[in-house]
Amino acid sequence: MFKPFLEETAKIVEAEIDRLLGDPAQHAAPRLAEAMRYAALGGGKRLRAALVRAVAQTLAADPKALSWETTAASAEVLHAYSLIHDDLPAMDDASLRRGRPTCHLAFDQATAILAGDALQAAAFGWIAGDPYLSAEAKVALVAGLAQAAGLAGMCGGQMLDLEGEQTPPDLAGLERMEQLKTGAMIAFSADAGAVIAGASPELREHVAGWARCLGLAFQITDDLLDVEGDKALTGKDAGLDAARGKTTFVSLTSAEAARERLEALGEAARAHLDSLPGDVTLLHALFHHVVTRDR
C-alpha cells in the first residue's frame, strides 16, 4: 500500500520542485541555479514530502481539496540544503550522496555553500507565496519551519553532533541530538500536514508525539544502515560515522539494542495514532517503511 503512495508523492513533488526552481538559463546566476537543481532533484526518499501529504490526507475533512505540494517541496529543498552543508569537508566530508558525487565535488565548495543558502531561502519563499494557503496557515508553517531548521532544531542538532566527535554523548544526549538534527524537520513535516488539514491543537499534539517517535526511529535505522547497509543501495558512503569517530546508537549500545529501541518506538507510535480519528493505516504504513527500508 505505502510504496505506490511514496512513489506517487515523489513524482508529484519532483515536478513541483522542478517547476519552482525553473530553468537555470532564466536566472542571473545560471551555475548556482544548476547546483541547486543538482542537489534538490533526481533522487532521495522524499520522506518529508510523504509526511506532509500523509498527515494532511489522514486528518482533512476533504483530502481532495488539499494544497500540500508546495509545502512538501519546501520541506524537501530545505532538507537538500542541509545535506549539501553536511557533506562539506568541514562537516562530514562525504563524497557520495544519492548515488552521485556530492554537490561540492560536482561543482565546487563555494558554489555548494551558496546553493544550500539559496535552497534554504527558497523553502520559506515558496510557502509564503503559495496562493492556495490561508494567511494563518502560512504564518504557522513559516514559523514552524524556522524553528525546525534553526538553533532549536536542525542546526543546533548538527552543532551537538560536531561537538560529540570530541566529547561523546551518553544515550540521553545522543537521543536529544538526533531529535534536533533529524527529528525536528520530520516533526515539522508531520505538523505541516496537520496545519494544512486545519487540524485542532489537540490533534496536532498527537501528531507531534507520533512524529517524535518516527524521527528517532529514522535515525536509529540510519545508524544500522551505516554499519550493515549496502553502499549500492544506500547511495552514500558506508561506515562514515565510524571513520569520523561519531557516536551512534549502534556504537553506544549494540545493533541488537538499537533494534529493541526501534520496537519500543513502534509501540509508542501506535499509541499516539490510536488517539487520532479516522483511518490511520497510511501513517502506520509510513512508520513501518521507515524502520524496514534498505536505503
Side-chain angles (χ1 to χ4, degrees):
M1 172 188 173
F2 186 70
K3 186 176 180 181
F5 174 86
L6 192 64
E7 291 173 348
E8 181 185 56
T9 301
K11 184 177 180 179
I12 292 170
V13 171
E14 188 86 357
E16 183 73 353
I17 295 172
D18 180 45
R19 179 185 72 82
L20 290 165
L21 285 177
D23 182 356
Q26 302 302 312
H27 293 284
R31 180 173 170 80
L32 176 58
E34 289 172 4
M36 293 168 68
R37 292 179 64 86
Y38 180 86
L41 293 169
K45 293 176 279 290
R46 302 303 188 202
L47 174 66
R48 289 148 193 84
L51 269 167
V52 175
R53 184 187 183 190
V55 173
Q57 290 187 354
T58 296
L59 298 181
D62 182 7
K64 294 182 179 179
L66 293 170
S67 176
W68 58 269
E69 295 87 350
T70 297
T71 299
S74 297
E76 287 293 340
V77 298
L78 195 135
H79 177 57
Y81 127 73
S82 75
L83 298 182
I84 294 174
H85 285 198
D86 282 357
D87 289 338
L88 290 167
M91 296 282 216
D92 289 345
D93 195 16
S95 61
L96 199 64
R97 173 68 66 179
R98 295 174 176 171
R100 302 186 299 175
T102 47
C103 191
H104 66 276
L105 293 180
F107 292 84
D108 56 72
Q109 287 191 47
T111 302
I113 292 169
L114 289 173
D117 294 343
L119 286 171
Q120 182 190 44
F124 291 94
W126 291 354
I127 291 173
D130 188 343
Y132 301 105
L133 295 176
S134 68
E136 292 78 9
K138 290 178 184 179
V139 169
L141 291 168
V142 167
L145 184 58
Q147 181 167 349
L151 176 61
M154 185 176 64
C155 286
Q158 179 66 28
M159 186 72 241
L160 294 177
D161 191 22
L162 292 171
E163 291 177 340
E165 294 180 21
Q166 303 301 319
T167 306
D170 59 14
L171 187 58
L174 179 63
E175 289 203 4
R176 172 163 175 72
M177 181 270 288
E178 295 297 3
Q179 288 285 20
L180 296 178
K181 181 184 175 184
T182 302
M185 276 301 297
I186 287 177
F188 163 76
S189 300
D191 185 56
V195 169
I196 291 169
S200 68
E202 181 182 2
L203 290 182
R204 286 176 65 184
E205 280 297 318
H206 290 308
V207 169
W210 173 76
R212 283 192 292 271
C213 295
L214 180 69
L216 197 54
F218 181 92
Q219 187 57 52
I220 292 174
T221 303
D222 251 16
D223 289 350
L224 287 166
L225 287 171
D226 188 67
V227 175
E228 303 170 347
D230 183 342
K231 180 178 178 178
L233 292 175
T234 61
K236 57 185 179 181
D237 299 318
L240 198 57
D241 289 339
R244 290 181 64 87
K246 285 192 176 185
T247 301
T248 69
F249 287 96
V250 176
S251 68
L252 193 57
T253 58
S254 66
E256 182 180 357
R259 292 190 182 90
E260 290 175 356
R261 184 72 174 108
L262 282 178
E263 290 182 12
L265 287 168
E267 292 178 5
R270 285 190 289 274
H272 285 296
L273 291 186
D274 287 343
S275 300
L276 296 179
D279 185 359
V280 294
T281 303
L282 189 58
L283 301 184
H284 280 301
L286 195 156
F287 194 97
H288 178 75
H289 168 79
V290 163
V291 300
T292 59
R293 72 188 196 278
D294 59 8
R295 64 192 70 195

